[in-house]
Structures are given as structure tokens and as C-alpha cells.
Amino acid sequence: MKSIKYAAAAILTAFAFTVSAQTSADNESNVESEYLSSIEDVVITELATSEERDNKLVALQYLENAVNEGRTTPDMMKALDGLAGEGIASQSRTNGRLMNNFPDIRAKACDILANVKTEESKNALVKVALADNEPMVITAAIRALGDIGINDNDEVSETIAWAQKKNAVLNPTSSLALEVLIAYEKIADSVQNKGPMIQAVGQIATNYRYVTPVRTRAHELLKTLQGAPSSSDKKNNNAK
């Protein structure tokens, strides 16, 4: 009996030692991972806030890899937000000349934000859609908003309508109009007040400055929207 107890004690001791060693290794691994993550955040932040356009492109490459691998951090999101507003929300001027107007940087940041489907990303993209004047950037922001799909209180659907209305007057672009239609197709079920959305789609359908395939798609979407109940109607029906 004593020999069995001694053997059991030896096994428990060995097991405890193994668990302790594994825990220590895990802790070291976690510390190392956090250290590498913090270093990556510092590198991305420095590149993103650099005055050099090429450095910002490298930052976007790091950020895209991190997002695709599910490794986003608050610092990375801050860098993406900053890059999406580069030259609009934050401006650098020399002798009155805007030095950091990089539409391609802003558009790429919007594309990356589309893969981070959070309220924070949505808010950053709404700011871009409302503030930017470059069709390629607004197009990317609207596409990303449609991909994220968050439309609480019609904030996104009305932002898209406003951006479309502004650009239809200043610079009607078929590619932007198409992304408006695609985004509306994705979020239509979440829209409570369909009025602004229908007006925006109707404007696209009747504006001959847009190419025929875009206007045709707008007509098709109008038919769908006019026959579909709003989300508030669905709630009332469910309540009954």
C-alpha cells in the first residue's frame, strides 16, 4: 500500500512540475507575443504618421496583414482612422499648400476598414463619406459601409444618400453611383425610413450622366424597394 502511495505522490509531483513548466512557458510566450504586438503598433504608428507617402503605404501593408490575421489593436484602429482622413481630417501645409492630400491612401484605408466589422470602423467610414471630396475615396467608404452592414437609426443609409446627392451635383461618377446601389442592396432590410434611400436611387435611375447599366440597376432596385416593407413595418407585424 505504501509503495502505491509513494508512486502516486511521485506522479502528482511530476505532473505538478510539468504543469508549472508549461504555465511558465505559456506566460513567457504571452509576454513575448504582447511585446512583439506593442513593437508592431509602434512601427505602424510611426509609419502612418510620417510625412512620407511611401511610409504610409508600408503602414497600410502592415495594417492589412494584421486585419486579415485578426490581430487588430486599438493603436492599429487609430492608425487606420488617421490614414482614412489623411489630408482631410488632418492636414499638413507648407506655405499654404496642402502637402498630405493622398486620396489613394484614404481609399485603401477604407478598404481595410471594411474588414473590421465594428461600430468603430463604421464611425470612421461615415466621417470619410461625409467629409471627403474625392469620388474614389467616397466610393471606397460607401463600399466599406455596405460590407460592414451596420445601420443603426438609419445613420449609414442617410449618410450614403447625402454623399450621393452631393456628388451628383458636383461630380456625378458612375462608379460611385454603382457602389451606392450595391450598398443599399446590402442594407435595405435594416432601413427604417426608406425615403432618402429611394430618392437617392431614383436620382441615379433618371440621371443620364450615369452609364446605362448603372441606371438600369437603379430601376431594378427601385422596384424591389417599393415592394418591400420597411424594418419598422416588420416590427409592427411581428408585434401583432
Side-chain angles (χ1 to χ4, degrees):
M1 178 67 73
K2 288 183 179 180
S3 62
I4 294 175
K5 289 182 178 179
Y6 290 147
I11 292 172
L12 289 174
T13 301
F15 177 73
F17 177 79
T18 302
V19 170
S20 177
Q22 182 63 47
T23 300
S24 177
D26 289 343
N27 288 338
E28 289 180 4
S29 177
N30 290 337
V31 170
E32 181 180 5
S33 177
E34 291 177 4
Y35 174 75
L36 291 175
S37 177
S38 65
I39 290 297
E40 186 177 32
D41 284 345
V42 171
V43 170
I44 289 173
T45 299
E46 289 298 321
L47 290 171
T49 56
S50 167
E51 295 183 356
E52 299 296 326
R53 177 179 173 278
D54 287 347
N55 287 343
K56 296 179 187 297
L57 287 173
V58 174
L60 287 170
Q61 292 174 2
Y62 275 111
L63 287 163
E64 186 170 29
N65 289 337
V67 169
N68 290 340
E69 294 172 8
R71 297 187 290 102
T72 54
T73 66
D75 284 340
M76 291 180 186
M77 291 304 299
K78 183 177 179 181
L80 269 175
D81 190 358
L83 290 168
E86 184 73 34
I88 299 297
S90 61
Q91 298 184 344
S92 173
R93 294 183 179 273
T94 300
N95 296 325
R97 179 185 175 189
L98 182 62
M99 304 301 294
N100 64 333
N101 184 26
F102 306 129
D104 57 329
I105 298 290
R106 302 199 297 273
K108 181 62 177 178
C110 290
D111 288 337
I112 297 173
L113 283 167
N115 295 317
V116 186
K117 303 183 187 304
T118 64
E119 189 78 15
E120 185 180 5
S121 295
K122 181 267 293 179
N123 291 339
L125 291 162
V126 165
K127 289 191 298 183
V128 172
L130 293 175
D132 212 295
N133 294 316
E134 289 286 345
M136 68 177 291
V137 181
I138 303 170
T139 297
I142 290 174
R143 179 170 58 246
L145 287 169
D147 289 342
I148 290 174
I150 299 174
N151 184 40
D152 297 335
N153 300 317
D154 288 348
E155 179 187 21
V156 167
S157 58
E158 293 182 3
T159 293
I160 293 173
W162 188 90
Q164 165 57 29
K165 182 177 180 179
K166 180 183 73 171
N167 286 275
V169 174
L170 299 177
N171 187 14
T173 307
S174 292
S175 57
L176 192 158
L178 178 60
E179 292 299 341
V180 167
L181 298 176
I182 294 173
Y184 275 145
E185 289 169 357
K186 292 178 179 179
I187 67 172
D189 288 343
S190 69
V191 178
Q192 297 177 27
N193 177 15
K194 285 188 165 55
M197 176 173 62
I198 290 175
Q199 291 177 18
V201 175
Q203 193 279 328
I204 294 173
T206 57
N207 190 337
Y208 283 86
R209 298 178 71 178
Y210 298 124
V211 297
T212 299
V214 171
R215 288 187 284 108
T216 299
R217 187 159 183 166
H219 280 291
E220 293 172 350
L221 180 55
L222 272 179
K223 293 177 182 177
T224 302
L225 294 176
Q226 290 170 352
S230 67
S231 59
S232 58
D233 291 337
K234 291 180 181 179
K235 290 179 182 178
N236 291 335
N237 290 334
N238 290 337
K240 294 177 183 178

